[in-house]
Amino acid sequence: MAGVLTMIFSFSCLLLLHSPCCSSHPLCTNFRAPFTVETTLSFCQYNGSVCCSTTEDLQLRNRFKSMNVSASGCASVLKSILCSRCDQYSSELYRIESVPRAVPVLCNSSVSTRSSQSQHAKIDYCSEVWDKCYNVSIMSSPFALLATGGIPIKSTSKLTDLWHSKGAFCDEFGGASDDGATCFSGGPVLLNSSENRSPPSGICLEKIGNGSYLNMVAHPDGSNRVILSNQAGKLWLATVPEQGSGETLGIDESNPFLDLTDEVHSDGELGLLGMAFHSNFQQNGRFFASFNCDKVRWPKCSGRCSCNTDIGCDPSKLSSDNGGQPCQYHSVIAEFTANGTTTNLSSVTRIRPVEVRRILTMGLPFTTHHGGQILFGPNDGYLYFMMGDGGGNGDPYNFSQNKRSLLGKIMRLDIDTIPSAKYINELHLWGNYSIPKDNPFYEDNELLPEIWAMGFRSPWRCSFDSERPSYFLCADVGQDRYEEVDIVTKGGNYGWRVYEGPSLYNSSSSSVANKSSNFINAIFPVILYNHSSVNRVEGSAAITGGYFYRSITDPCLYGRYLYADLYADALWSGFENPKGSGNFTTTEHPVECANDSPIQCTTRPESKSPAFGFIFSFGQDNNKDIFLLTSSGVYRIVRPGRCNYICSMDNSTGFTTPGSVVDPPSSGSKFSNSQTLQLLVFYCVSFFVNMFLDGMQLSNY
């Protein structure tokens, strides 16, 4: 079986070397979602979803006039280039996630034949720009910004003043359109819908634990260890067995990693709801937990009430909810530390339940819809905190649409910059954190400074795609009709309670009925289903968000977004086509447990499908394998062949390179640094050399 691991390792090397950097969904250069303008743009002829307001359109017109270009051919291409900022894919055209550009990436003759971009992009537009403009005088040329180190110049210049040849010019401004990037060809970006990949025939699982957990995060040391936690407030360090080893989850529940049961109030939708390692945990030992507490039971559970006069809410007029008084229960984010016992933080197996710092405390008006998940952004390192609308049928106080309320919002906090008391008071913050300088508040001071996005009812499990961090997907539990998944962007409004899913929402229990959607620019879900399609008998549904599948274990699942429902013994995936479009088609997958599962699975009556009970959450380890956390135990997705499911890119004797799954190499690869590439190649080559020299004999797995 030496060939098995050889093929697996070679596939892993291909994944590393061929990882794409981007392939973003529609997104503007300010990290906001495109929108529809009420008045057609008069200068930039873009229709539908755009990234320019009428004011910005006028600014681009004035800038174009100031260039004072006499040659009509050059003027035409320059206008197109300026207006590319209005394109719904402008963030990708201007590569804002790497080094922001003064002009978009111009398509040139090296365009990949496997392009995800429409055929019209396969022209040498960079050469066209040069041919029409190389000897034309341009005032305050955008091309001059790169040559002058980004410093605007007021003088007139020609392209030949700055670039000695067409080749040199296109080396700087040209780029290929491939599956990892997009380029500008003179007009709106269009994507192909040519990929026609059949859905997997089924998802194969193995059961590796009987415990019931709510959260799972991978240990930041890169090992096969994870942290699991339950709703009551206990967290455990667990060892994940190798695929196919026949072993179960290594966990000692008598020895918790952290025990917060004295602080956590667990009941219904209250409890320990989130946890996160700091992005730099291996150096600073910082660990964070998000939980609910009861101020009656715990004196340190004390903070401002989220129902207050600033938002037109009087807590004294709220009735009790499930036996709790208004703002008796609080949402808390607390910081703990692994420092103090050893300098080797990977060896820490227990953290003292003593708060280092209280990040945030907020009183809750009702006992439901609290979200509670916390995540660190993979690119920016900021802490994202998911908060529901606070409860009550139909969000009766319309908290989600209130810009002065943190309820129904996703927050983005800087927990590395310690604020002064003066700073906290001036911004009326809810705890010890600072505000990132690019939060929407700095563009819209009607918003509370913590808010990143708004209009959520009860976000339950969000994740960043490990290969495309701009894909920040959140599942949002619906009220009466719809469950949804949203791509979350800066300043986005996701509709609740004006909308539930794509439809206007009206409720007799709400203080104001929704008669019009004119006052919000809602972003609609990318994945949606009706309650009745999940549970036809009871009509109940509560979505559980998951992850983009990025493991090599099941190649046929690769790149699909997995999700589930609390009340359904089923798994779904969303497949984006065209890639980068934000358009998803969904599939419900047959699910079985492998016959050689370490723990035998209980199945549903007259079915081979596992009886999950309730699917609480998903987990992901350092190998990118996906886990299901359910009321009946912990399950892991394994090779489809173990359940006799057919995947053309998987077989029992090894893996073939799944060309339609692995993204092809791109000029913008996140491994484009030559030293990183050399290092990866060195390790891959070294592996094969050692295999040859040592004649390794590997047993079956």
Side-chain angles (χ1 to χ4, degrees):
M1 288 298 293
V4 176
L5 290 191
T6 301
M7 294 300 290
I8 292 174
F9 191 87
S10 60
F11 180 41
S12 301
C13 290
L14 285 169
L15 280 176
L16 286 171
L17 295 175
H18 292 179
S19 295
C21 70
C22 320
S23 189
S24 176
H25 54 90
L27 194 68
C28 304
T29 55
N30 60 1
F31 288 100
R32 292 178 180 267
F35 52 90
T36 301
V37 290
E38 295 181 0
T39 304
T40 304
L41 301 181
S42 60
F43 178 65
C44 296
Q45 302 301 307
Y46 280 79
N47 300 313
S49 293
V50 298
C51 286
C52 291
S53 65
T54 52
T55 300
E56 291 164 326
D57 182 57
L58 179 60
Q59 291 171 346
L60 290 172
R61 177 196 291 271
N62 293 337
R63 185 179 177 190
F64 174 71
K65 287 182 177 179
S66 70
M67 291 181 178
N68 195 27
V69 179
S70 58
S72 60
C74 181
S76 176
V77 296
L78 285 177
K79 176 184 176 181
S80 297
I81 288 170
L82 287 179
C83 287
S84 65
R85 287 194 175 273
C86 300
D87 195 285
Q88 62 177 330
Y89 291 95
S90 58
S91 69
E92 179 71 359
L93 292 174
Y94 285 82
R95 302 293 193 269
I96 59 172
E97 289 194 351
S98 51
V99 180
R101 303 167 59 94
V103 297
V105 176
L106 306 177
C107 294
N108 64 21
S109 56
S110 62
V111 171
S112 166
T113 58
R114 291 185 293 179
S115 173
S116 62
Q117 202 168 345
S118 177
Q119 294 293 318
H120 87 277
K122 298 185 179 183
I123 60 175
D124 201 343
Y125 189 68
C126 188
S127 294
E128 181 181 342
V129 173
W130 175 270
D131 292 340
K132 291 182 177 181
C133 293
Y134 74 96
N135 202 32
V136 177
S137 296
I138 305 171
M139 184 70 178
S140 301
S141 170
F143 299 106
L145 290 175
L146 183 59
T148 59
I151 302 173
I153 59 173
K154 298 296 183 182
S155 61
T156 300
S157 64
K158 301 177 181 179
L159 298 186
T160 51
D161 295 337
L162 304 169
W163 315 102
H164 61 81
S165 68
K166 181 192 298 185
F169 175 78
C170 287
D171 282 345
E172 290 290 352
F173 296 103
S177 170
D178 56 32
D179 284 343
T182 304
C183 63
F184 184 64
S185 61
V189 171
L190 301 174
L191 301 179
N192 285 325
S193 300
S194 56
E195 187 170 9
N196 185 22
R197 195 196 313 171
S198 298
S201 60
I203 296 177
C204 187
L205 303 174
E206 64 176 1
K207 187 176 182 181
I208 59 173
N210 285 317
S212 179
Y213 309 103
L214 205 59
N215 301 283
M216 172 180 169
V217 295
H219 199 289
D221 66 358
S223 68
N224 64 336
R225 297 182 300 167
V226 297
I227 300 293
L228 291 161
S229 68
N230 66 7
Q231 187 175 352
K234 284 189 177 182
L235 301 84
W236 294 273
L237 187 65
T239 302
V240 177
E242 291 187 11
Q243 287 267 1
S245 67
E247 298 177 358
T248 60
L249 197 65
I251 186 171
D252 179 5
E253 293 202 349
S254 66
N255 185 29
F257 178 72
L258 176 63
D259 188 348
L260 298 176
T261 51
D262 288 341
E263 292 84 3
V264 172
H265 177 79
S266 176
D267 181 33
E269 294 186 26
L270 301 166
L272 175 61
L273 302 177
M275 57 183 182
F277 288 97
H278 190 277
S279 305
N280 201 28
F281 174 84
Q282 289 298 99
Q283 285 69 47
N284 61 30
R286 301 174 71 187
F287 183 82
F288 300 83
S290 167
F291 57 89
N292 300 120
C293 60
D294 180 356
K295 71 176 184 180
V296 174
R297 188 169 64 92
W298 187 40
K300 293 183 180 180
C301 181
S302 178
R304 275 188 286 160
C305 183
S306 56
C307 168
N308 53 60
T309 55
D310 290 343
I311 57 173
C313 181
D314 184 352
S316 67
K317 295 182 179 180
L318 297 181
S319 59
S320 63
D321 183 37
N322 294 324
Q325 296 302 311
C327 292
Q328 175 180 339
Y329 304 115
H330 286 62
S331 277
V332 167
I333 302 176
E335 178 180 344
F336 303 87
T337 182
N339 287 322
T341 56
T342 177
T343 57
N344 180 13
L345 295 177
S346 291
S347 66
V348 173
T349 58
R350 191 175 184 87
I351 292 179
R352 294 177 62 233
V354 178
E355 288 186 41
V356 174
R357 180 160 58 119
R358 177 68 61 84
I359 304 298
L360 180 144
T361 310
M362 183 172 65
L364 303 168
F366 305 106
T367 60
T368 55
H369 307 173
H370 304 140
Q373 185 184 13
I374 51 177
L375 293 170
F376 280 97
N379 281 350
D380 56 31
Y382 293 128
L383 185 69
Y384 290 76
F385 178 36
M386 278 48 86
M387 172 56 65
D389 65 12
N393 185 39
D395 189 8
Y397 287 86
N398 203 19
F399 291 134
S400 292
Q401 289 300 318
N402 192 321
K403 294 183 176 183
R404 307 307 295 173
S405 171
L406 294 181
L407 297 172
K409 311 300 191 298
I410 290 178
M411 292 166 253
R412 181 173 180 255
L413 313 175
D414 177 359
I415 50 81
D416 291 326
T417 304
I418 307 299
S420 65
K422 179 182 178 182
Y423 180 91
I424 293 173
N425 290 332
E426 285 178 349
L427 292 179
H428 303 287
L429 303 183
W430 295 73
N432 295 299
Y433 51 84
S434 296
I435 302 301
K437 296 300 182 184
D438 56 346
N439 267 17
F441 162 75
Y442 290 99
E443 302 164 24
D444 180 2
N445 56 19
E446 291 184 2
L447 284 168
L448 288 182
E450 296 89 346
I451 295 173
W452 182 251
M454 62 186 290
F456 298 94
R457 181 179 177 272
S458 185
W460 187 248
R461 296 324 189 213
C462 306
S463 64
F464 290 93
D465 183 8
S466 59
E467 289 195 358
R468 303 172 299 174
S470 69
Y471 277 71
F472 178 26
L473 267 64
C474 280
D476 195 16
V477 178
Q479 177 75 48
D480 299 321
R481 295 178 62 188
Y482 295 110
E483 303 297 302
E484 66 184 67
V485 178
D486 302 296
I487 298 180
V488 178
T489 56
K490 176 182 177 180
N493 187 335
Y494 293 86
W496 176 253
R497 72 180 179 124
V498 178
Y499 290 95
E500 182 183 9
S503 302
L504 283 171
Y505 174 78
N506 287 285
S507 172
S508 58
S509 65
S510 298
S511 57
V512 180
N514 294 313
K515 302 298 184 183
S516 171
S517 61
N518 291 339
F519 66 98
I520 70 166
N521 191 5
I523 301 172
F524 292 124
V526 294
I527 292 173
L528 183 79
Y529 62 89
N530 195 293
H531 286 194
S532 61
S533 65
V534 171
N535 191 326
R536 294 178 177 84
V537 178
E538 298 177 14
S540 298
I543 193 169
T544 300
Y547 293 87
F548 277 100
Y549 189 84
R550 297 300 182 188
S551 170
I552 63 172
T553 299
D554 185 344
C556 285
L557 276 178
Y558 193 86
R560 292 177 176 269
Y561 176 79
L562 296 175
Y563 62 100
D565 192 282
L566 181 69
Y567 297 100
D569 286 319
L571 294 177
W572 290 265
S573 74
F575 178 62
E576 186 186 28
N577 190 24
K579 186 175 181 181
S581 66
N583 297 320
F584 287 78
T585 56
T586 60
T587 303
E588 180 179 351
H589 299 285
V591 181
E592 290 186 23
C593 259
N595 290 330
D596 59 351
S597 174
I599 300 173
Q600 288 300 302
C601 302
T602 302
T603 58
R604 297 162 58 191
E606 300 180 1
S607 171
K608 293 183 178 180
S609 299
F612 294 125
F614 297 112
I615 302 176
F616 295 132
S617 192
F618 286 83
Q620 185 182 60
D621 67 5
N622 285 313
N623 290 326
K624 306 302 181 194
D625 280 326
I626 297 298
F627 300 76
L628 277 70
L629 309 182
T630 78
S631 59
S632 66
V634 179
Y635 300 80
R636 171 169 58 183
I637 295 178
V638 297
R639 287 192 306 103
R642 288 176 60 184
C643 292
N644 295 319
Y645 289 132
I646 297 173
C647 172
S648 62
M649 293 165 283
D650 169 61
N651 57 63
S652 60
T653 59
F655 287 94
T656 57
T657 302
S660 63
V661 175
V662 181
D663 295 293
S666 70
S667 59
S669 171
K670 62 184 176 182
F671 291 103
S672 60
N673 180 281
S674 60
Q675 291 180 333
T676 307
L677 279 170
Q678 291 169 6
L679 187 62
L680 288 168
V681 172
F682 171 80
Y683 282 122
C684 291
V685 172
S686 297
F687 175 86
F688 294 120
V689 170
N690 288 329
M691 285 284 290
F692 175 77
L693 294 178
D694 297 339
M696 294 176 65
Q697 298 297 318
L698 302 175
S699 59
N700 290 336
Y701 82 81

